Amino acid sequence: MRKLDPVKHEKKRQEILGAAMRCFLCSGLKGASTADICAEAKISPGHLYHYFDSKDAIVASLIEGRLEKVAEQLKAGIQSESSIVETLAPELEAQPGGAAAMALIFDMMAESKRNPEMGKIVDSHNRSIRESLVEMLRYGQSRGEVEGKLDLEVTATTIMALMHAAKVVAMQNPKEADKALPVLRQLLGHLLTTPAESAKAGPPRTKKTVARVRA
Amino acid sequence: MRKLDPVKHEKKRQEILGAAMRCFLCSGLKGASTADICAEAKISPGHLYHYFDSKDAIVASLIEGRLEKVAEQLKAGIQSESSIVETLAPELEAQPGGAAAMALIFDMMAESKRNPEMGKIVDSHNRSIRESLVEMLRYGQSRGEVEGKLDLEVTATTIMALMHAAKVVAMQNPKEADKALPVLRQLLGHLLTTPAESAKAGPPRTKKTVARVRA
Amino acid sequence: MRKLDPVKHEKKRQEILGAAMRCFLCSGLKGASTADICAEAKISPGHLYHYFDSKDAIVASLIEGRLEKVAEQLKAGIQSESSIVETLAPELEAQPGGAAAMALIFDMMAESKRNPEMGKIVDSHNRSIRESLVEMLRYGQSRGEVEGKLDLEVTATTIMALMHAAKVVAMQNPKEADKALPVLRQLLGHLLTTPAESAKAGPPRTKKTVARVRA
Amino acid sequence: MRKLDPVKHEKKRQEILGAAMRCFLCSGLKGASTADICAEAKISPGHLYHYFDSKDAIVASLIEGRLEKVAEQLKAGIQSESSIVETLAPELEAQPGGAAAMALIFDMMAESKRNPEMGKIVDSHNRSIRESLVEMLRYGQSRGEVEGKLDLEVTATTIMALMHAAKVVAMQNPKEADKALPVLRQLLGHLLTTPAESAKAGPPRTKKTVARVRA
DNA sequence: CATGAATGAGTATTCATTCAT
DNA sequence: TATGAATGAATACTCATTCAT
């Protein structure tokens, strides 16, 4: 009778996390209440706190889980013998789960900028993902797949941004996505094989400059 | 909601929108309360409803205003004699307001995916922005600035992806934005001047394919 | 239409404080909920926070009000030409309001030792009451009513303790109170007119010492 | 609630009571939760109810224990050959545990005024303590230590007031307790050796009477 | 136009207690 | 004995919104 089933405990935890995810997908991070989550998980409101310290802890758990999965997949890709473009291809596609999943990701990104606790989690995982990408790129350089003079940190940052942007655009323009995503992959290929330009974006055709955006 | 002096009324409306924006930047869309906004705008809580039907109406107004500004600037850029890269440059630069402004944009995107009312606004503006981009590209083709064989719809979609990528960089890696944003501009230049590849992303080094990501 | 009736606001505040006091008398500081108070004051639960920042703020207001009244009465007594024993006599009686009021005072004393915020309020008022007593005693010395060699600070502390103790005993032994309270007044008279003994409590009759009490 | 080994059962009970006391000292009667107590006692929340019917039962047990100890010590003092002043001295000294212990005592007194169950316990013990004091005083009269004409019931009540005064000093002015408590002991000495005055508290200096305090 | 009093459903969280194992 | 999962009502407090003035 020592620790009657820590495995059962973990299972319930995961059940609750699942219920929470479903709620968050429907109503957003702030829109879903702990009461909603409890109802979805079919537990009493108090019982939630047997498994999590707070609603934030649930969100943090969810974010962490998500980022861990991404990081794992990336590392797996690195260890495979695939080319970088090939390895990253799945990330340059629509977010499975569609618009709701994407909205939740936006929520999480926004939240992580406001809640320092979550900011830490997200930052640390982003860093770890970036490091994986850098490693992947360095290996790519050794194989000749990646241009040798590239700043790998900056390139990794750019790749992460493209990965995210691809998902957004696939969501906003599902009709064009089939054609636009390959273009993004092509841009990725260009990015990896072209030395950075020396801070000039090509000779401007005209002299007239545009009023700066004030948004 | 009926106004005696339409000019003063509109002016106050804008003041309130400004106050709301400041609150939202600090605390997020759900985090800022109408009470916060009223305090910031120095009006009484009841008075807010002389200018807006609801908090959501304020948010919608703000989103609409933001998107309108972007659309206007694009159209202005088209009519000017600037190059496309130059015209789009402001959208590919560090945004004023920094990470907080980006977080708010993500908040708004999340909200627009959940609230159909706002979804409509965002969708219609996105469409209009895409159309402007297409027009701009077409004009660019006529000037020889843009590769003639490009599918302009797809290219516009891709440009929007790049614009989004810039926002992600600004939010997640504000420190590296100085270096990564020029890379995005360079990719834009490449995009405009290179004919689309025929669905191959360069010769894959190996045959092994990666398991599809299920994030 | 400037500040429509700050007097009405204060009146409502006092009404709420009254309702809160009634609730606290019935159920204690922790036992009475904000919902109880709102029900008693016949306002909605949210409206309470129009008038008070928190439940603690209500308690603090109540404590402060109570202590202010005591302090005022003391000062009034000092300015009158009554003798000290006479002036303090009303304080050496049963607590009006009976056992419930006494219980609430206990609650407040306990609370003030745990909640630093309230500790400050209580301490500062106690200090002010002690200062009034010291002043009163000093004046009594000048009139010859109070022994000149007394340490007035210590005497004031002792008087405050007696004031409190009198109320407690009157509550616990209402039957004996009529006779016991005059005895306490007599002890007070003795206290004021007898020089402090030099740390000996008179010659002990026997040598045997008692085992020390353990709490 | 049935026990297999009554000795072990009682031992555990005492352990839990100790843990509860520690919690109550820290956080107060209502502030400490059963969960806190279980954690401190290192038992599971359910197990607590093998030893006590409820949280209130724990509090009642604690109060009873405390009062019993005081009563016992008094009785022990009576049987010893010590003087009364000496016997009562421990009750007129700084209590171990300091202000927190005093706060808890006040908590308990407040509780006993509201919860009839506990009120009974406290009342019955107070009665028994008064009886012990009366007996002690009677014996003191027979030895000549106590003035013969004193009304012993009233004197006992007054002594209890002084004991309470000591607690107030210990709580509100722990720094001055060193000086004020001997004064209380001195008052006790005076009380025991001085015949009651005939309802006059010394010659009032003026005729003016003070308005009755309505605090 | 403008105020701020008023609402009441809703928020996350706590807690004494019960119960199956 | 002992565990800890489970409950559900209760807690202090928030907030978008309405309304009398």
Side-chain angles (χ1 to χ4, degrees):
Chain A
M1 275 201 203
R2 275 293 71 123
K3 265 276 180 185
L4 220 63
D5 248 334
V7 60
K8 223 172 163 183
H9 184 90
E10 182 56 25
K11 200 181 146 207
K12 193 90 191 171
R13 241 185 90 100
Q14 292 304 326
E15 266 177 53
I16 294 173
L17 283 176
M21 176 60 93
R22 269 168 273 143
C23 291
F24 289 145
L25 281 173
C26 274
S27 329
L29 241 31
K30 298 239 173 181
S33 70
T34 53
D36 294 337
I37 295 170
C38 289
E40 175 74 23
K42 279 166 193 155
I43 59 172
S44 63
H47 199 31
L48 184 66
Y49 293 84
H50 227 63
Y51 296 94
F52 296 95
D53 283 345
S54 64
K55 187 187 175 186
D56 274 7
I58 297 177
V59 176
S61 229
L62 243 21
I63 294 185
E64 203 148 20
R66 205 201 122 71
L67 294 175
E68 254 166 30
K69 226 183 271 174
V70 171
E72 271 173 31
Q73 285 163 345
L74 220 52
K75 279 176 191 162
I78 293 169
Q79 281 157 4
S80 81
E81 293 297 306
S82 319
S83 75
I84 290 176
V85 171
E86 229 179 303
T87 300
L88 294 179
E91 296 294 333
L92 286 171
E93 275 173 7
Q95 168 70 18
M102 213 55 226
L104 184 52
I105 291 175
F106 290 148
D107 255 4
M108 285 174 170
M109 291 177 75
E111 180 68 7
S112 74
K113 281 296 138 185
R114 282 193 208 102
N115 183 330
E117 206 74 39
M118 288 178 200
K120 272 181 205 166
I121 298 175
V122 170
D123 282 355
S124 98
H125 277 82
N126 272 344
R127 236 189 320 272
S128 121
I129 290 174
R130 257 233 326 275
E131 278 164 20
S132 296
L133 282 175
V134 167
E135 196 191 333
M136 176 192 265
L137 291 170
R138 201 179 335 269
Y139 183 45
Q141 281 181 329
S142 75
R143 286 189 315 220
E145 188 189 352
V146 174
E147 156 66 32
K149 279 174 285 182
L150 279 181
D151 179 332
L152 299 188
E153 296 280 342
V154 169
T155 306
T157 298
T158 310
I159 290 173
M160 289 177 73
L162 287 178
M163 281 161 49
H164 198 101
K167 290 180 200 302
V168 175
V169 163
M171 182 193 62
Q172 284 184 339
N173 292 73
K175 292 181 203 160
E176 309 288 340
D178 292 350
K179 295 177 188 165
L181 291 176
V183 178
L184 279 178
R185 279 197 283 277
Q186 181 190 335
L187 286 182
L188 172 61
H190 177 73
L191 171 65
L192 297 182
T193 54
T194 311
E197 297 188 13
S198 46
K200 44 153 178 143
R205 293 244 163 162
T206 74
K207 279 101 231 168
K208 240 179 124 188
T209 49
V210 187
R212 271 314 198 246
V213 173
R214 274 261 334 118
Chain B
M1 284 292 288
R2 227 60 304 246
K3 53 240 167 180
L4 299 187
D5 180 341
V7 172
K8 267 176 98 176
H9 185 87
E10 182 56 25
K11 198 180 148 210
K12 195 84 190 173
R13 245 183 88 97
Q14 290 306 324
E15 269 175 48
I16 295 173
L17 284 176
M21 176 59 91
R22 269 168 271 143
C23 291
F24 290 146
L25 281 173
C26 274
S27 329
L29 239 31
K30 296 242 174 185
S33 69
T34 52
D36 294 337
I37 296 170
C38 289
E40 176 73 23
K42 281 166 192 154
I43 60 172
S44 64
H47 201 33
L48 184 68
Y49 291 81
H50 280 262
Y51 296 94
F52 296 94
D53 282 344
S54 67
K55 188 187 175 184
D56 273 5
I58 297 177
V59 175
S61 231
L62 240 22
I63 294 185
E64 196 148 20
R66 208 203 119 70
L67 292 174
E68 254 167 29
K69 226 182 272 177
V70 172
E72 272 172 29
Q73 285 163 348
L74 269 186
K75 282 176 190 161
I78 293 168
Q79 282 157 6
S80 80
E81 293 297 308
S82 318
S83 75
I84 291 176
V85 171
E86 231 179 302
T87 299
L88 294 177
E91 291 296 325
L92 295 176
E93 272 170 10
Q95 302 285 318
M102 294 303 117
L104 183 53
I105 289 175
F106 286 125
D107 248 6
M108 286 174 169
M109 294 181 78
E111 183 64 13
S112 72
K113 284 296 140 190
R114 270 183 222 114
N115 185 328
E117 204 75 40
M118 290 180 199
K120 275 180 205 164
I121 297 174
V122 170
D123 282 354
S124 95
H125 277 82
N126 272 342
R127 239 190 318 274
S128 121
I129 289 174
R130 254 235 328 285
E131 280 163 19
S132 295
L133 284 174
V134 168
E135 195 190 335
M136 174 191 267
L137 290 170
R138 199 178 338 267
Y139 184 46
Q141 281 182 328
S142 76
R143 283 191 316 220
E145 187 189 356
V146 175
E147 158 63 36
K149 278 173 285 179
L150 282 179
D151 178 331
L152 298 189
E153 294 282 341
V154 170
T155 307
T157 300
T158 311
I159 288 174
M160 289 179 80
L162 289 178
M163 283 162 56
H164 192 90
K167 289 187 187 100
V168 173
V169 168
M171 178 151 120
Q172 287 193 335
N173 292 73
K175 290 181 193 167
E176 284 202 351
D178 293 349
K179 293 177 186 166
L181 292 174
V183 176
L184 286 176
R185 280 196 287 277
Q186 183 189 336
L187 288 181
L188 172 62
H190 178 75
L191 170 66
L192 297 181
T193 54
T194 311
E197 297 186 14
S198 46
K200 48 159 176 133
R205 293 247 163 161
T206 74
K207 278 100 230 164
K208 241 180 120 186
T209 49
V210 189
R212 268 323 197 239
V213 173
R214 276 262 332 124
Chain C
M1 279 199 199
R2 275 294 70 126
K3 265 273 180 187
L4 221 63
D5 249 333
V7 59
K8 222 171 165 185
H9 184 91
E10 183 55 28
K11 199 180 147 208
K12 194 87 190 174
R13 240 185 91 101
Q14 292 304 326
E15 266 177 53
I16 295 173
L17 284 176
M21 177 60 92
R22 269 168 272 142
C23 292
F24 289 145
L25 282 173
C26 272
S27 328
L29 241 29
K30 299 237 173 186
S33 69
T34 53
D36 295 337
I37 295 170
C38 289
E40 175 75 21
K42 279 167 195 155
I43 59 172
S44 65
H47 200 32
L48 185 67
Y49 294 84
H50 227 63
Y51 297 93
F52 297 94
D53 282 345
S54 65
K55 188 187 174 184
D56 274 7
I58 297 177
V59 176
S61 228
L62 243 22
I63 294 185
E64 203 149 20
R66 205 199 122 72
L67 294 175
E68 253 166 30
K69 226 183 273 176
V70 172
E72 271 173 31
Q73 285 163 345
L74 220 54
K75 280 178 191 161
I78 292 169
Q79 280 157 5
S80 79
E81 293 298 306
S82 321
S83 77
I84 290 177
V85 172
E86 226 180 304
T87 300
L88 294 179
E91 296 295 333
L92 286 172
E93 275 175 6
Q95 169 70 20
M102 214 53 225
L104 184 52
I105 290 175
F106 291 148
D107 254 4
M108 287 174 169
M109 291 178 76
E111 179 68 7
S112 75
K113 280 297 137 185
R114 281 192 209 103
N115 183 330
E117 205 74 39
M118 287 178 202
K120 272 181 206 165
I121 297 175
V122 170
D123 282 356
S124 96
H125 278 82
N126 272 344
R127 235 190 321 273
S128 121
I129 290 174
R130 256 235 325 277
E131 278 163 21
S132 295
L133 282 176
V134 167
E135 195 191 336
M136 174 191 265
L137 291 170
R138 201 181 332 270
Y139 183 45
Q141 282 182 328
S142 76
R143 285 191 314 222
E145 186 189 355
V146 175
E147 156 66 35
K149 277 174 283 180
L150 279 181
D151 179 332
L152 298 189
E153 296 281 342
V154 169
T155 307
T157 298
T158 310
I159 289 173
M160 288 176 74
L162 287 177
M163 279 161 50
H164 198 102
K167 291 180 200 301
V168 175
V169 163
M171 180 193 63
Q172 284 184 339
N173 290 73
K175 292 180 205 161
E176 310 287 343
D178 292 348
K179 294 177 188 164
L181 292 176
V183 178
L184 279 178
R185 279 198 283 277
Q186 181 190 336
L187 285 182
L188 172 62
H190 177 74
L191 170 66
L192 297 182
T193 54
T194 312
E197 298 188 11
S198 45
K200 48 159 175 130
R205 296 241 161 164
T206 74
K207 274 102 230 167
K208 239 180 123 187
T209 48
V210 189
R212 267 318 194 246
V213 173
R214 275 266 324 121
Chain D
M1 285 292 289
R2 225 63 303 244
K3 54 241 168 180
L4 300 186
D5 180 343
V7 172
K8 266 176 97 176
H9 185 87
E10 181 56 25
K11 199 181 146 209
K12 194 86 190 170
R13 246 184 86 99
Q14 291 305 325
E15 269 176 49
I16 294 174
L17 284 176
M21 176 60 92
R22 270 168 272 141
C23 291
F24 289 147
L25 280 173
C26 274
S27 327
L29 239 31
K30 297 242 172 186
S33 69
T34 53
D36 294 336
I37 295 170
C38 289
E40 176 75 21
K42 279 166 194 155
I43 61 172
S44 64
H47 201 32
L48 184 68
Y49 291 82
H50 281 261
Y51 296 96
F52 297 93
D53 283 342
S54 66
K55 189 186 174 185
D56 273 6
I58 297 177
V59 176
S61 232
L62 241 22
I63 294 184
E64 196 148 22
R66 208 202 121 71
L67 292 173
E68 255 168 28
K69 225 181 274 175
V70 172
E72 273 173 28
Q73 284 163 346
L74 269 186
K75 282 174 189 160
I78 293 167
Q79 283 156 6
S80 80
E81 295 296 308
S82 317
S83 75
I84 290 177
V85 171
E86 232 178 301
T87 300
L88 294 177
E91 290 297 324
L92 294 177
E93 271 171 10
Q95 301 287 316
M102 293 305 118
L104 183 53
I105 290 176
F106 286 126
D107 248 4
M108 287 173 167
M109 294 181 78
E111 182 64 11
S112 73
K113 284 295 140 190
R114 269 181 223 118
N115 185 328
E117 204 75 38
M118 291 180 199
K120 275 180 205 163
I121 299 173
V122 171
D123 283 354
S124 95
H125 276 83
N126 272 343
R127 241 190 318 272
S128 121
I129 288 174
R130 255 240 321 288
E131 281 163 19
S132 296
L133 282 175
V134 168
E135 194 190 338
M136 174 191 266
L137 290 170
R138 198 173 346 262
Y139 183 47
Q141 281 181 329
S142 76
R143 283 191 314 221
E145 186 190 354
V146 174
E147 157 64 34
K149 279 173 284 181
L150 280 180
D151 177 332
L152 297 190
E153 293 283 341
V154 170
T155 306
T157 300
T158 310
I159 288 174
M160 289 179 79
L162 290 177
M163 282 162 56
H164 191 90
K167 290 189 187 98
V168 174
V169 167
M171 179 152 121
Q172 287 192 336
N173 291 72
K175 290 181 193 165
E176 286 202 349
D178 293 351
K179 294 179 185 165
L181 292 175
V183 177
L184 287 175
R185 280 196 287 277
Q186 182 189 336
L187 288 181
L188 172 62
H190 177 74
L191 170 67
L192 298 181
T193 54
T194 312
E197 298 188 14
S198 46
K200 51 158 173 133
R205 290 248 162 163
T206 74
K207 278 101 229 167
K208 240 180 121 187
T209 48
V210 188
R212 266 319 196 243
V213 173
R214 275 264 329 124

